[in-house]
Amino acid sequence: MITVNGKEFIPEQPVTVAEYLEANQYQINRIAVELNYEILPKNTYASTVLKDGDILEIVSFVGGG
């Protein structure tokens, strides 16, 4: 089980961060991702495979003033 923004996610097969984000329609240029309490660089999304017990936090940037 993987925890994403406080909710449980159980993938049927191995999934990378990039695949998860794409499947859930996140816009890469408008988010920050934290994996196990550390900021994950965008250039590692495609090579980072989520594992059982991982905690993923996705924060969307919102414009305004």
Side-chain angles (χ1 to χ4, degrees), residues 7-27:
K7 297 181 182 176
E8 295 179 1
F9 167 64
I10 302 172
E12 294 180 12
Q13 60 188 24
V15 63
T16 65
V17 172
E19 291 167 337
Y20 179 85
L21 295 172
E22 183 178 326
N24 289 279
Q25 301 176 339
Y26 283 98
Q27 294 181 351

Side-chain angles (χ1 to χ4, degrees), residues 16-19 40-49:
T16 65
V17 172
E19 291 167 337
L40 191 64
K42 289 185 189 302
N43 64 353
T44 64
Y45 290 1
S47 62
T48 303
V49 178

Side-chain angles (χ1 to χ4, degrees), residues 36-55:
N36 300 324
Y37 308 108
E38 294 190 19
I39 298 295
L40 191 64
K42 289 185 189 302
N43 64 353
T44 64
Y45 290 1
S47 62
T48 303
V49 178
L50 295 171
K51 302 178 299 298
D52 188 44
D54 278 346
I55 300 171

